[in-house]
Amino acid sequence: MSMCPAAWGLLVLCGLSLWTGTQGLAKNPLLSRTRRAPDDYSGDPKKCSYTFLVPEQKITGPICAARGYATDKDRVTRLDVASVRDLLSKQRREVETLKLVVDVDGNLVNEMKLLRKESRNMNSRVTQLYMQLLHEIIRKRDNSLELAQLETRVLNATAESLRLSSRYRELETRFSALSAVVNNQSVLIAALEERCMQVYGRRRDHHPEGPPLVQVVPENLPVSVPRFTNEIQRDNGREAPRERGSRSGPSPTGSTMEAQKPPAGNFSVEGPYRDCLHAQEAGHTGSGVYLIRPEEASRPLQVWCEQGMDNGGWTVIQSRRDGSVNFFRNWDSYKSGFGNIDGEYWLGLEGIYKLGRQGDYKLLVELEDWTGKKVYAQYSSFHLEPEAEGYRLRLGTYQGNAGDSLGSHNGKQFTTLDRDKDGYAGNCAHFQKGGWWYNSCGQANLNGVWYTGGVYRSKYQDGIFWAEYGGGFYSMKAVRIMVRPID
């Protein structure tokens, strides 16, 4: 087979190229490059080229390939490989350093997370403490307000106490003045006594011994501790000494003193009623001060209504309890009434008379001794005759456990120091120091002198005695006289 000269030339060129590549691989066994023919030879589509790779050693490094023919400056040397290895080692160290840094940063991040969590917990605790502090401040502010209010109340109470103290001093001054006036009345009393004796033609020396004494002596004397006293209890428990056997006793009081007004808390603004039973029927079931107006009375009266005893409806016409009111008074005073409605008082003869004219009434006398025991005497009917008859007492039959000491006074007129209507030659009101329906002078003296301790010592029987219970020398601690319509 014959070949053209051009083909032979191409074959030679390929052999030269192969030899050159082999030499290059011999010099650097790590790298084998493929070189293409110059671009001058690639233009002819009829030309072709071949590449042969002959491995001589195991390639351990990177293989760099480049287009075109290889030159010396493009060849990879051992120094390049060492440089690459150094670079890789440096990069590996840097990577390890970065790992360490990342580990440290991770720990820092975890610590930061923990710190953030603790910070949140701390913020919650701070908020809680703040709320507690706020509540404490509010509580202290409220306490301050309460303290200020309490201080204001204390100041008001102090001012009220000072006002009451001033008022008390004023009352003491008035009491002293009244005591002086009472002491100055002794001469007038003596003159009045003398005049009374002259009017009725009875000289004092005709009856030096006084009225006959009550001879009734109970078997069991109602007293816990025997005690003798001559001390007359005056206003608010004050004691005024009295000479033994003196006839003067407490001085009589004029009719200028009317019944005092009771405290507002016990007073009923409704009414007036006919009597306390009428008030009870109107729905008032509590004991206290009520306003009544008997049918023929010209003005209403204040009375104490006892609604808690024996079905209620009792109108109290007399009350003794502490000696705060002087019952040694004249006719006009006993006629109009005097005293304190919620304490010691006398309703008034005219009021009692008008009260009894409304219908049939019964009478109840309640007695309390110094041991605290209470007894009673009840009379089936009761009324007074008009003033023209001296307010004569009319009683029915007796029942009770105190004994009938008022029966001997039935049908007697009322006697005071300035109007002697008793059955004794002298004036029983003078000797027994009070106004009463005296006989000669009688078995009861419930308007007498209030003595403490029960048993008293006096020349005359002038205490608050009920002869059938305690005798004439035992003064009761408390007495009430009440009336009620007969059922």
Side-chain angles (χ1 to χ4, degrees):
M1 182 176 185
S2 60
M3 300 178 65
C4 61
W8 283 107
L10 181 59
L11 183 61
V12 170
L13 289 173
C14 291
L16 288 173
S17 175
L18 180 61
W19 182 83
T20 303
T22 305
Q23 291 294 320
L25 292 173
K27 291 180 180 181
N28 190 1
L30 297 176
L31 183 63
S32 174
R33 290 176 176 251
T34 303
R35 301 296 184 190
R36 293 182 180 181
D39 294 337
D40 296 338
Y41 299 100
S42 62
D44 190 359
K46 295 180 180 182
K47 295 180 181 182
C48 61
S49 62
Y50 299 92
T51 301
F52 298 93
L53 296 176
V54 182
E56 292 182 358
Q57 287 183 341
K58 185 177 179 180
I59 299 174
T60 61
I63 299 174
C64 297
R67 293 182 179 181
Y69 295 101
T71 59
D72 292 337
K73 64 180 181 180
D74 295 329
R75 294 177 182 175
V76 178
T77 63
R78 286 187 177 89
L79 293 176
D80 295 334
V81 174
S83 297
V84 171
R85 287 179 178 176
D86 292 338
L87 181 60
L88 290 175
S89 299
K90 183 177 179 181
Q91 289 177 352
R92 192 176 294 111
R93 288 193 300 271
E94 288 178 354
V95 169
E96 292 177 354
T97 303
L98 289 175
K99 287 182 179 180
L100 293 175
V101 171
V102 168
D103 292 338
V104 173
D105 290 343
N107 293 332
L108 291 176
V109 169
N110 292 331
E111 291 180 359
M112 183 62 69
K113 290 181 179 179
L114 293 175
L115 289 176
R116 286 181 179 178
K117 184 176 181 180
E118 291 179 359
S119 177
R120 286 193 297 270
N121 295 334
M122 187 63 67
N123 288 336
S124 300
R125 180 59 179 168
V126 169
T127 303
Q128 182 180 2
L129 293 175
Y130 174 76
M131 296 302 296
Q132 292 179 355
L133 180 61
L134 184 61
H135 286 103
E136 186 69 19
I137 292 173
I138 294 174
R139 188 180 64 83
K140 288 185 176 180
R141 185 190 64 181
D142 295 339
N143 290 338
S144 300
L145 293 176
E146 292 179 358
L147 181 60
Q149 293 176 357
L150 182 60
E151 289 178 350
T152 303
R153 292 176 61 185
V154 169
L155 291 177
N156 292 336
T158 304
E160 183 66 17
S161 176
L162 293 175
R163 188 185 68 81
L164 292 177
S165 299
S166 177
R167 179 62 178 167
Y168 178 74
R169 288 192 295 270
E170 292 177 0
L171 291 176
E172 279 189 333
T173 304
R174 292 179 60 186
F175 177 78
S176 300
L178 291 174
S179 299
V181 171
V182 169
N183 294 331
N184 292 333
Q185 296 297 321
S186 59
V187 177
L188 179 60
I189 293 171
L192 289 174
E193 290 177 348
E194 187 68 23
R195 182 179 176 183
C196 289
M197 297 302 175
Q198 291 176 358
V199 170
Y200 292 97
R202 303 161 188 168
R203 299 294 300 174
R204 184 177 303 174
D205 53 2
H206 291 171
H207 305 281
E209 301 300 327
L213 300 179
V214 175
Q215 300 301 323
V216 178
V217 179
E219 296 181 0
N220 298 320
L221 199 64
V223 60
S224 56
V225 179
R227 178 179 177 183
F228 293 90
T229 179
N230 279 332
E231 296 175 349
I232 302 172
Q233 301 302 309
R234 298 284 181 95
D235 297 298
N236 297 325
R238 294 181 179 272
E239 298 178 354
R242 173 172 174 259
E243 183 182 356
R244 292 183 181 180
S246 172
R247 292 188 179 185
S248 60
S251 60
T253 306
S255 60
T256 57
M257 181 181 295
E258 298 295 336
Q260 302 174 5
K261 291 184 178 181
N266 292 333
F267 181 67
S268 174
V269 296
E270 299 183 12
Y273 304 99
R274 292 190 308 273
D275 52 26
C276 291
L277 181 60
H278 185 203
Q280 184 188 48
E281 292 172 349
H284 298 282
T285 59
S287 300
V289 179
Y290 290 83
L291 200 64
I292 69 169
R293 185 172 183 174
E295 293 177 354
E296 298 180 2
S298 60
R299 61 184 179 88
L301 302 173
Q302 289 181 358
V303 298
W304 183 274
C305 291
E306 179 57 53
Q307 309 288 19
M309 181 180 67
D310 193 16
N311 298 324
W314 292 96
T315 303
V316 180
I317 63 175
Q318 187 253 33
S319 177
R320 304 294 302 274
R321 64 173 66 178
D322 54 13
S324 60
V325 175
N326 182 12
F327 273 65
F328 191 26
R329 295 171 180 260
N330 59 19
W331 180 269
D332 291 336
S333 183
Y334 268 100
K335 176 183 176 180
S336 60
F338 55 86
N340 191 348
I341 299 300
D342 65 342
E344 290 197 343
Y345 79 98
W346 173 261
L347 181 59
L349 292 169
E350 187 66 20
I352 298 172
Y353 164 69
K354 296 291 180 62
L355 185 64
R357 283 183 58 84
Q358 298 183 121
D360 296 330
Y361 282 79
K362 57 185 177 181
L363 180 73
L364 176 64
V365 179
E366 181 187 58
L367 306 170
E368 181 182 358
D369 61 30
W370 288 88
T371 64
K373 181 180 178 180
K374 292 184 179 181
V375 294
Y376 75 96
Q378 183 171 321
Y379 296 86
S380 59
S381 64
F382 164 81
H383 72 274
L384 299 182
E385 294 184 1
E387 185 179 10
E389 295 294 327
Y391 295 112
R392 194 183 304 273
L393 176 65
R394 296 298 183 184
L395 292 175
T397 58
Y398 158 82
Q399 66 174 2
N401 59 357
D404 183 11
S405 292
L406 196 58
S408 61
H409 298 262
N410 188 19
K412 305 305 176 183
Q413 296 182 356
F414 200 85
T415 293
T416 60
L417 181 63
D418 55 343
R419 290 200 185 183
D420 186 4
K421 298 181 180 295
D422 55 47
Y424 175 61
N427 189 329
C428 293
H430 162 71
F431 294 104
Q432 297 192 342
K433 305 301 183 293
W436 194 247
W437 296 276
Y438 292 113
N439 187 357
S440 291
C441 284
Q443 303 293 307
N445 185 38
L446 301 186
N447 286 340
V449 180
W450 191 84
Y451 289 106
T452 59
V455 178
Y456 66 96
R457 184 172 57 184
S458 175
K459 185 177 181 179
Y460 308 109
Q461 292 173 330
D462 53 3
I464 305 174
F465 68 86
W466 189 268
E468 296 294 331
Y469 187 79
F473 284 101
Y474 186 89
S475 184
M476 294 296 168
K477 179 181 180 181
V479 176
R480 288 196 303 176
I481 304 176
M482 300 168 277
V483 297
R484 184 183 189 274
I486 299 175
D487 298 331

